[in-house]
Coordinates of all heavy atoms in Angstrom, one line a residue:
M1 N 88.2 -14.6 92.1 CA 87.8 -13.5 91.2 C 88.3 -12.1 91.6 O 87.6 -11.2 91.8 CB 86.3 -13.4 91.1 CG 85.6 -14.6 90.4 SD 85.6 -14.6 88.6 CE 84.1 -13.6 88.4
K2 N 89.6 -12.1 91.7 CA 90.2 -10.8 92.0 C 89.8 -9.7 91.0 O 89.7 -8.5 91.4 CB 91.8 -11.0 92.0 CG 92.5 -9.8 92.5 CD 94.0 -10.1 92.6 CE 94.8 -8.9 93.1 NZ 94.9 -7.9 92.1
Y3 N 89.8 -10.1 89.8 CA 89.6 -9.2 88.7 C 88.2 -8.4 88.9 O 88.1 -7.2 88.8 CB 89.6 -9.9 87.3 CG 89.5 -9.0 86.2 CD1 90.7 -8.3 85.8 CD2 88.4 -9.0 85.3 CE1 90.6 -7.5 84.6 CE2 88.3 -8.3 84.2 CZ 89.5 -7.5 83.9 OH 89.4 -6.7 82.7
K4 N 87.2 -9.2 89.3 CA 85.9 -8.6 89.4 C 85.9 -7.6 90.6 O 85.2 -6.6 90.6 CB 84.9 -9.8 89.7 CG 83.5 -9.3 89.7 CD 82.5 -10.4 89.4 CE 81.1 -9.9 89.2 NZ 80.4 -9.6 90.4
K5 N 86.6 -8.0 91.7 CA 86.7 -7.2 92.8 C 87.3 -5.8 92.5 O 86.8 -4.8 93.0 CB 87.5 -7.8 93.9 CG 86.7 -8.0 95.2 CD 87.5 -8.9 96.2 CE 88.1 -8.2 97.3 NZ 88.9 -9.1 98.1
D6 N 88.3 -5.9 91.7 CA 89.0 -4.6 91.3 C 88.0 -3.7 90.5 O 88.0 -2.5 90.8 CB 90.2 -4.9 90.3 CG 91.3 -5.4 91.2 OD1 91.3 -5.3 92.4 OD2 92.3 -5.9 90.5
S7 N 87.2 -4.3 89.7 CA 86.3 -3.5 88.9 C 85.2 -2.9 89.8 O 84.8 -1.7 89.6 CB 85.6 -4.3 87.8 OG 84.9 -5.4 88.3
E8 N 84.8 -3.7 90.7 CA 83.8 -3.1 91.7 C 84.3 -1.9 92.5 O 83.7 -0.9 92.8 CB 83.3 -4.2 92.7 CG 82.5 -5.4 92.0 CD 81.2 -4.8 91.4 OE1 80.6 -3.9 92.0 OE2 80.8 -5.4 90.4
R9 N 85.6 -2.2 92.9 CA 86.2 -1.1 93.7 C 86.4 0.2 92.9 O 86.3 1.3 93.4 CB 87.6 -1.6 94.2 CG 88.1 -0.9 95.4 CD 89.3 -1.5 96.1 NE 90.3 -1.8 95.0 CZ 91.3 -2.7 95.2 NH1 91.4 -3.4 96.3 NH2 92.2 -2.9 94.2
Y10 N 86.7 0.0 91.7 CA 87.0 1.1 90.8 C 85.7 1.9 90.6 O 85.7 3.2 90.7 CB 87.4 0.6 89.4 CG 87.7 1.7 88.5 CD1 88.9 2.4 88.6 CD2 86.9 2.1 87.4 CE1 89.2 3.5 87.8 CE2 87.1 3.1 86.6 CZ 88.3 3.8 86.8 OH 88.6 4.9 85.9
L11 N 84.5 1.2 90.5 CA 83.3 2.0 90.4 C 82.9 2.6 91.7 O 82.3 3.7 91.7 CB 82.2 1.0 90.0 CG 82.1 0.6 88.5 CD1 80.9 -0.3 88.3 CD2 82.1 1.8 87.7
K12 N 83.3 2.1 92.9 CA 83.0 2.7 94.1 C 83.8 4.0 94.3 O 83.4 5.0 94.8 CB 83.4 1.7 95.3 CG 82.2 0.8 95.6 CD 82.2 0.3 97.0 CE 81.2 -0.8 97.2 NZ 81.7 -2.1 97.0
M13 N 85.1 3.9 93.7 CA 85.9 5.1 93.8 C 85.4 6.2 92.9 O 85.6 7.4 93.2 CB 87.3 4.7 93.4 CG 88.2 4.3 94.6 SD 89.6 3.3 94.0 CE 90.5 4.4 93.0
Y14 N 84.9 5.8 91.8 CA 84.4 6.8 90.8 C 83.0 6.6 90.5 O 82.6 6.2 89.3 CB 85.2 6.7 89.5 CG 86.7 6.9 89.8 CD1 87.6 5.9 89.8 CD2 87.2 8.3 89.9 CE1 88.9 6.1 90.1 CE2 88.5 8.4 90.2 CZ 89.4 7.4 90.2 OH 90.7 7.6 90.5
P15 N 82.0 6.9 91.4 CA 80.6 6.5 91.2 C 80.0 7.3 90.0 O 79.1 6.9 89.5 CB 80.0 6.9 92.5 CG 80.9 7.8 93.2 CD 82.3 7.4 92.8
E16 N 80.7 8.4 89.7 CA 80.1 9.2 88.5 C 80.2 8.4 87.2 O 79.6 8.7 86.2 CB 80.8 10.6 88.4 CG 82.2 10.5 87.9 CD 83.3 10.3 89.1 OE1 82.9 9.9 90.2 OE2 84.5 10.6 88.9
L17 N 81.1 7.4 87.2 CA 81.3 6.6 86.0 C 80.2 5.6 85.8 O 80.0 5.0 84.7 CB 82.6 5.9 86.0 CG 83.8 6.8 86.0 CD1 85.1 6.0 86.1 CD2 83.8 7.6 84.7
L18 N 79.3 5.4 86.8 CA 78.2 4.5 86.7 C 77.3 4.8 85.6 O 76.6 3.9 85.0 CB 77.4 4.4 88.0 CG 78.0 3.6 89.1 CD1 77.3 3.8 90.4 CD2 78.0 2.1 88.8
K19 N 77.3 6.0 85.2 CA 76.3 6.4 84.1 C 76.8 5.7 82.7 O 76.0 5.7 81.8 CB 76.3 7.9 83.9 CG 77.5 8.6 83.5 CD 77.3 10.1 83.3 CE 78.5 10.8 82.9 NZ 78.5 12.2 83.1
W20 N 78.0 5.3 82.7 CA 78.5 4.6 81.5 C 78.4 3.1 81.6 O 78.9 2.4 80.7 CB 79.9 5.1 81.1 CG 80.0 6.5 80.9 CD1 80.7 7.4 81.6 CD2 79.5 7.2 79.8 NE1 80.6 8.7 81.1 CE2 79.8 8.6 80.0 CE3 78.6 6.9 78.8 CZ2 79.3 9.6 79.1 CZ3 78.2 7.8 77.8 CH2 78.5 9.1 78.0
I21 N 77.9 2.7 82.7 CA 77.8 1.2 82.9 C 76.4 0.7 82.8 O 75.4 1.3 83.4 CB 78.3 0.9 84.4 CG1 79.8 1.2 84.5 CG2 78.1 -0.6 84.7 CD1 80.7 0.4 83.6
N22 N 76.2 -0.4 82.1 CA 75.0 -1.1 82.0 C 75.0 -2.3 83.0 O 76.1 -2.9 83.0 CB 74.8 -1.7 80.6 CG 74.2 -0.6 79.6 OD1 73.5 0.3 80.0 ND2 74.5 -0.8 78.4
E23 N 73.9 -2.4 83.7 CA 73.9 -3.7 84.5 C 72.6 -4.4 84.2 O 71.5 -3.8 84.3 CB 73.9 -3.4 86.0 CG 73.9 -4.6 86.8 CD 74.1 -4.5 88.3 OE1 74.3 -3.3 88.8 OE2 74.0 -5.5 89.0
C24 N 72.7 -5.6 83.8 CA 71.5 -6.4 83.5 C 70.8 -6.8 84.8 O 71.4 -7.4 85.7 CB 71.9 -7.6 82.7 SG 70.5 -8.7 82.4
P25 N 69.5 -6.4 84.9 CA 68.8 -6.7 86.2 C 68.5 -8.2 86.4 O 68.2 -8.6 87.4 CB 67.5 -6.0 86.0 CG 67.3 -5.8 84.6 CD 68.6 -5.7 83.9
L26 N 68.6 -9.0 85.3 CA 68.4 -10.4 85.4 C 69.6 -11.2 85.8 O 69.5 -12.0 86.8 CB 67.8 -10.9 84.1 CG 66.4 -10.4 83.7 CD1 65.9 -10.9 82.4 CD2 65.4 -10.7 84.9
C27 N 70.7 -11.1 85.1 CA 71.9 -11.9 85.4 C 72.9 -11.0 86.1 O 74.0 -11.6 86.4 CB 72.4 -12.5 84.1 SG 73.1 -11.3 83.0
H28 N 72.8 -9.8 86.2 CA 73.7 -8.9 86.9 C 75.0 -8.8 86.3 O 76.0 -8.5 87.0 CB 73.8 -9.2 88.4 CG 72.5 -9.1 89.2 ND1 71.9 -7.8 89.5 CD2 71.5 -10.0 89.5 CE1 70.8 -8.0 90.1 NE2 70.5 -9.3 90.1
S29 N 75.1 -9.1 85.1 CA 76.4 -8.8 84.4 C 76.5 -7.3 84.1 O 75.5 -6.6 83.9 CB 76.5 -9.6 83.1 OG 75.5 -9.4 82.2
K30 N 77.7 -6.9 84.2 CA 77.9 -5.5 84.1 C 78.9 -5.2 82.9 O 79.8 -6.0 82.6 CB 78.6 -4.9 85.3 CG 77.6 -4.4 86.3 CD 78.4 -3.7 87.5 CE 77.5 -3.6 88.6 NZ 78.3 -3.4 89.9
G31 N 78.7 -4.1 82.2 CA 79.6 -3.8 81.2 C 79.5 -2.3 80.8 O 78.5 -1.7 81.2
Y32 N 80.4 -1.8 80.0 CA 80.2 -0.4 79.6 C 79.3 -0.3 78.4 O 79.1 -1.2 77.7 CB 81.6 0.3 79.4 CG 82.4 -0.3 78.2 CD1 82.2 0.2 76.9 CD2 83.4 -1.2 78.4 CE1 82.9 -0.3 75.9 CE2 84.1 -1.7 77.4 CZ 83.9 -1.2 76.1 OH 84.6 -1.7 75.0
K33 N 78.6 0.9 78.4 CA 77.6 1.1 77.3 C 78.2 1.2 76.0 O 79.4 1.7 75.8 CB 76.8 2.4 77.7 CG 76.1 2.2 79.0 CD 75.2 3.4 79.2 CE 74.4 3.2 80.5 NZ 73.6 4.4 80.9
T34 N 77.5 0.8 75.0 CA 78.0 0.8 73.7 C 78.2 2.3 73.2 O 79.1 2.5 72.4 CB 77.0 0.1 72.6 OG1 75.7 0.7 72.9 CG2 77.0 -1.3 72.8
E35 N 77.4 3.2 73.8 CA 77.6 4.6 73.3 C 78.6 5.4 74.1 O 78.8 6.5 73.9 CB 76.2 5.3 73.4 CG 75.7 5.5 74.8 CD 74.7 4.4 75.2 OE1 74.9 3.3 74.8 OE2 73.8 4.7 76.1
M36 N 79.3 4.7 75.0 CA 80.4 5.4 75.8 C 81.5 5.9 74.8 O 82.0 5.2 73.9 CB 81.1 4.5 76.8 CG 82.1 5.2 77.6 SD 82.8 4.2 78.9 CE 84.0 3.3 78.0
P37 N 81.7 7.3 74.8 CA 82.8 7.8 74.0 C 84.2 7.3 74.4 O 84.4 6.7 75.4 CB 82.6 9.3 74.1 CG 82.0 9.4 75.4 CD 81.2 8.2 75.7
D38 N 85.1 7.5 73.5 CA 86.5 7.1 73.8 C 87.1 7.8 74.9 O 88.1 7.4 75.5 CB 87.4 7.3 72.5 CG 87.1 6.2 71.5 OD1 86.6 5.1 71.9 OD2 87.4 6.5 70.3
H39 N 86.5 9.0 75.2 CA 87.0 9.8 76.3 C 85.8 10.3 77.2 O 85.0 10.9 76.7 CB 87.8 11.0 75.7 CG 88.6 11.7 76.8 ND1 89.9 11.5 77.1 CD2 88.2 12.6 77.8 CE1 90.3 12.2 78.1 NE2 89.3 12.9 78.5
V40 N 85.9 9.9 78.5 CA 85.0 10.4 79.5 C 85.7 11.0 80.6 O 86.9 10.8 80.9 CB 84.0 9.3 79.9 CG1 83.2 8.7 78.8 CG2 84.7 8.2 80.7
G41 N 84.9 11.8 81.4 CA 85.5 12.4 82.6 C 86.3 13.7 82.2 O 86.1 14.3 81.1
G42 N 87.2 14.1 83.1 CA 88.0 15.3 82.8 C 89.0 15.2 81.7 O 89.2 14.1 81.1
E43 N 89.6 16.3 81.5 CA 90.5 16.4 80.3 C 91.6 15.3 80.3 O 91.9 14.7 79.3 CB 91.2 17.8 80.3 CG 91.9 18.1 79.0 CD 92.6 19.4 79.0 OE1 92.3 20.2 79.9 OE2 93.5 19.6 78.2
H44 N 92.2 15.0 81.5 CA 93.3 14.1 81.6 C 92.8 12.8 82.2 O 93.6 11.9 82.6 CB 94.4 14.7 82.5 CG 94.9 15.9 81.8 ND1 95.7 15.9 80.7 CD2 94.9 17.2 82.3 CE1 96.0 17.2 80.4 NE2 95.5 18.0 81.3
S45 N 91.5 12.6 82.2 CA 91.0 11.4 82.8 C 91.2 10.2 81.9 O 91.1 10.2 80.7 CB 89.5 11.5 83.0 OG 88.9 10.3 83.3
I46 N 91.6 9.1 82.5 CA 91.7 7.8 81.8 C 90.6 6.9 82.0 O 90.7 5.7 81.9 CB 93.1 7.2 82.0 CG1 93.3 6.9 83.5 CG2 94.2 8.0 81.5 CD1 94.4 5.9 83.7
A47 N 89.5 7.5 82.4 CA 88.3 6.7 82.9 C 87.8 5.7 81.8 O 87.6 4.6 82.1 CB 87.2 7.6 83.3
A48 N 87.7 6.2 80.6 CA 87.3 5.4 79.5 C 88.2 4.2 79.3 O 87.8 3.1 79.2 CB 87.1 6.2 78.2
Y49 N 89.5 4.5 79.4 CA 90.5 3.5 79.2 C 90.3 2.4 80.3 O 90.3 1.2 80.1 CB 91.9 4.1 79.3 CG 93.0 3.1 79.4 CD1 93.5 2.5 78.2 CD2 93.5 2.8 80.7 CE1 94.6 1.5 78.3 CE2 94.5 1.8 80.7 CZ 95.0 1.2 79.6 OH 96.1 0.3 79.7
N50 N 90.1 2.9 81.5 CA 90.0 2.0 82.7 C 88.7 1.1 82.6 O 88.7 -0.1 82.9 CB 90.0 2.7 84.0 CG 91.4 3.0 84.4 OD1 92.4 2.3 84.1 ND2 91.6 4.2 85.1
L51 N 87.6 1.8 82.2 CA 86.4 1.1 82.1 C 86.5 -0.1 81.1 O 85.9 -1.1 81.3 CB 85.2 2.0 81.7 CG 84.7 3.0 82.9 CD1 83.7 3.9 82.3 CD2 84.2 2.2 84.0
K52 N 87.2 0.2 80.0 CA 87.4 -0.7 79.0 C 88.3 -1.9 79.5 O 88.1 -3.0 79.0 CB 87.9 -0.2 77.7 CG 86.8 0.6 77.0 CD 87.3 1.2 75.7 CE 86.1 2.0 75.1 NZ 86.5 2.8 73.9
K53 N 89.1 -1.6 80.4 CA 90.0 -2.6 81.0 C 89.3 -3.5 81.9 O 89.5 -4.7 81.9 CB 91.2 -1.9 81.6 CG 92.3 -2.7 82.1 CD 93.5 -2.0 82.6 CE 93.2 -1.6 84.1 NZ 94.4 -1.0 84.7
Y54 N 88.4 -2.8 82.7 CA 87.7 -3.6 83.7 C 86.5 -4.3 83.3 O 86.0 -5.3 83.9 CB 87.4 -2.7 84.9 CG 88.5 -2.3 85.8 CD1 88.8 -1.0 86.1 CD2 89.4 -3.3 86.3 CE1 89.9 -0.6 86.9 CE2 90.4 -3.0 87.2 CZ 90.7 -1.7 87.4 OH 91.8 -1.3 88.2
F55 N 85.8 -3.8 82.3 CA 84.6 -4.3 81.8 C 84.6 -4.6 80.3 O 85.4 -4.1 79.6 CB 83.4 -3.3 82.1 CG 83.3 -2.9 83.5 CD1 83.9 -1.8 84.0 CD2 82.5 -3.7 84.4 CE1 83.8 -1.5 85.4 CE2 82.4 -3.4 85.7 CZ 83.0 -2.3 86.2
K56 N 83.6 -5.5 80.0 CA 83.4 -5.8 78.6 C 82.3 -4.8 78.1 O 81.5 -4.3 79.0 CB 83.0 -7.2 78.4 CG 84.2 -8.1 78.4 CD 83.7 -9.5 78.0 CE 82.8 -10.1 79.0 NZ 82.9 -11.6 79.2
Q57 N 82.2 -4.7 76.9 CA 81.0 -3.9 76.4 C 79.8 -4.7 76.6 O 79.8 -5.9 76.4 CB 81.2 -3.6 74.9 CG 80.2 -2.6 74.4 CD 80.4 -2.3 72.9 OE1 80.2 -3.2 72.1 NE2 81.0 -1.1 72.6
L58 N 78.7 -4.1 77.2 CA 77.5 -4.8 77.4 C 76.4 -4.0 76.7 O 76.0 -2.9 77.1 CB 77.2 -4.9 78.9 CG 76.0 -5.7 79.3 CD1 76.2 -7.2 79.1 CD2 75.5 -5.5 80.7
E59 N 75.9 -4.7 75.7 CA 74.8 -4.1 74.9 C 73.4 -4.6 75.6 O 73.3 -5.7 76.0 CB 74.8 -4.6 73.5 CG 74.2 -3.8 72.5 CD 74.3 -4.3 71.1 OE1 75.4 -4.9 70.8 OE2 73.4 -4.2 70.3
V60 N 72.5 -3.7 75.8 CA 71.2 -4.0 76.4 C 70.1 -3.6 75.5 O 70.2 -2.8 74.6 CB 71.1 -3.3 77.8 CG1 72.1 -3.8 78.7 CG2 71.1 -1.8 77.6
D61 N 69.0 -4.3 75.7 CA 67.8 -3.9 74.9 C 67.0 -2.8 75.5 O 67.5 -2.2 76.5 CB 66.9 -5.2 74.7 CG 66.2 -5.7 75.9 OD1 66.4 -5.0 77.0 OD2 65.6 -6.7 75.9
E62 N 65.8 -2.6 75.0 CA 65.0 -1.4 75.5 C 64.6 -1.6 76.9 O 64.2 -0.7 77.6 CB 63.9 -1.1 74.5 CG 62.8 -2.2 74.6 CD 63.1 -3.3 73.5 OE1 64.3 -3.4 73.0 OE2 62.2 -4.1 73.2
N63 N 64.6 -2.8 77.4 CA 64.3 -3.1 78.8 C 65.5 -3.0 79.7 O 65.3 -3.1 81.0 CB 63.6 -4.5 78.9 CG 62.3 -4.6 78.2 OD1 61.5 -3.7 78.3 ND2 62.2 -5.6 77.4
G64 N 66.7 -2.8 79.2 CA 67.8 -2.9 80.0 C 68.4 -4.2 80.3 O 69.4 -4.4 81.1
F65 N 67.9 -5.2 79.5 CA 68.4 -6.6 79.7 C 69.5 -6.8 78.7 O 69.5 -6.3 77.6 CB 67.3 -7.6 79.4 CG 66.1 -7.5 80.3 CD1 64.9 -8.1 79.8 CD2 66.2 -7.0 81.5 CE1 63.7 -8.0 80.6 CE2 65.0 -6.9 82.3 CZ 63.9 -7.4 81.9
C66 N 70.5 -7.6 79.2 CA 71.6 -7.8 78.2 C 71.0 -8.7 77.1 O 69.9 -9.3 77.3 CB 72.8 -8.6 78.9 SG 72.4 -10.3 79.4
L67 N 71.7 -8.8 76.0 CA 71.1 -9.5 74.8 C 70.8 -10.9 75.1 O 69.9 -11.5 74.5 CB 72.1 -9.2 73.6 CG 72.2 -7.8 73.2 CD1 73.0 -7.7 71.9 CD2 70.9 -7.1 73.0
Q68 N 71.7 -11.6 75.9 CA 71.4 -13.0 76.2 C 70.1 -13.1 77.0 O 69.3 -14.0 76.7 CB 72.6 -13.5 77.1 CG 73.2 -14.7 76.5 CD 74.5 -14.9 77.2 OE1 75.1 -14.1 77.7 NE2 75.0 -16.2 77.1
C69 N 69.9 -12.3 78.0 CA 68.6 -12.4 78.8 C 67.5 -11.9 78.0 O 66.4 -12.5 78.1 CB 68.8 -11.6 80.0 SG 70.0 -12.2 81.3
S70 N 67.7 -11.0 77.1 CA 66.6 -10.5 76.3 C 66.1 -11.6 75.4 O 64.9 -11.7 75.2 CB 67.3 -9.4 75.4 OG 66.3 -8.9 74.4
K71 N 67.0 -12.4 74.9 CA 66.6 -13.5 74.1 C 65.7 -14.5 74.8 O 64.7 -14.8 74.3 CB 67.8 -14.2 73.5 CG 67.7 -14.7 72.1 CD 68.9 -15.7 71.8 CE 70.1 -15.0 71.3 NZ 71.2 -15.9 71.0
V72 N 66.2 -14.8 76.0 CA 65.4 -15.8 76.9 C 64.0 -15.2 77.2 O 63.0 -15.8 77.1 CB 66.2 -16.1 78.1 CG1 65.3 -17.0 79.0 CG2 67.4 -16.8 77.7
Y73 N 64.1 -13.9 77.6 CA 62.9 -13.2 78.0 C 61.9 -13.2 76.9 O 60.7 -13.4 77.1 CB 63.3 -11.8 78.4 CG 62.1 -10.9 78.9 CD1 61.5 -11.1 80.1 CD2 61.6 -9.9 78.0 CE1 60.5 -10.3 80.6 CE2 60.5 -9.1 78.4 CZ 60.0 -9.3 79.7 OH 59.0 -8.5 80.2
N74 N 62.3 -12.8 75.7 CA 61.4 -12.8 74.6 C 60.8 -14.1 74.1 O 59.7 -14.2 73.6 CB 62.1 -12.0 73.4 CG 62.2 -10.5 73.7 OD1 61.2 -9.9 74.2 ND2 63.3 -9.9 73.5
Q75 N 61.7 -15.1 74.4 CA 61.2 -16.5 74.0 C 60.2 -16.9 74.9 O 59.2 -17.7 74.5 CB 62.4 -17.5 74.1 CG 63.1 -17.7 72.8 CD 64.5 -18.4 73.0 OE1 64.8 -18.9 74.0 NE2 65.2 -18.5 71.9
N76 N 60.2 -16.5 76.1 CA 59.2 -17.0 77.2 C 58.0 -16.2 77.2 O 57.2 -16.4 78.1 CB 59.9 -17.0 78.5 CG 60.9 -18.1 78.6 OD1 60.9 -19.1 77.8 ND2 61.9 -17.9 79.5
R77 N 57.9 -15.2 76.3 CA 56.7 -14.4 76.3 C 55.6 -15.0 75.5 O 55.8 -15.5 74.5 CB 57.0 -13.0 75.9 CG 56.9 -12.1 77.1 CD 56.8 -10.7 76.8 NE 57.7 -10.3 75.6 CZ 58.0 -9.1 75.3 NH1 57.5 -8.1 76.0 NH2 58.7 -8.7 74.3
Ligands
LIG1 ZN1 71.5 -10.6 81.5

């Protein structure tokens, strides 16, 4: 899983980008937030481009769970 390692390293290098990342507390899948604008960071930053390259979009519910876990969670309630 070289790809995943690269994405983790990228976030370590730019921890300020974590605010655009959702992480599901149940399955620990990570992805960029649906509300992330096309451009984040400084004027010449390609952060948004890189985040989209390294991560998939991850939609989360009001609990911060990804939609897949949200479904399971709500079914078991
Ligand atoms: Zn999940």
Side-chain angles (χ1 to χ4, degrees):
M1 291 278 276
K2 184 175 181 294
Y3 188 72
K4 185 159 191 279
K5 237 168 103 186
D6 283 350
S7 63
E8 295 295 328
R9 200 170 51 198
Y10 184 73
L11 283 182
K12 274 206 187 96
M13 269 160 59
Y14 302 100
E16 71 273 18
L17 296 177
L18 279 171
K19 68 176 178 199
W20 297 115
I21 295 295
N22 280 328
E23 181 175 0
C24 174
L26 295 179
C27 67
H28 297 286
S29 59
K30 271 187 196 157
Y32 64 87
K33 296 184 178 177
T34 49
E35 69 267 30
M36 182 176 80
D38 286 339
H39 191 97
V40 300
E43 195 186 341
H44 300 291
S45 169
I46 55 164
Y49 170 83
N50 281 328
L51 286 177
K52 285 180 181 176
K53 191 174 79 171
Y54 285 127
F55 299 94
K56 282 187 292 213
Q57 192 180 69
L58 184 73
E59 207 177 324
V60 295
D61 69 4
E62 67 276 12
N63 297 312
F65 300 159
C66 73
L67 297 187
Q68 234 164 337
C69 292
S70 174
K71 219 192 271 177
V72 176
Y73 180 77
N74 286 315
Q75 265 169 6
N76 292 338
R77 251 197 319 194

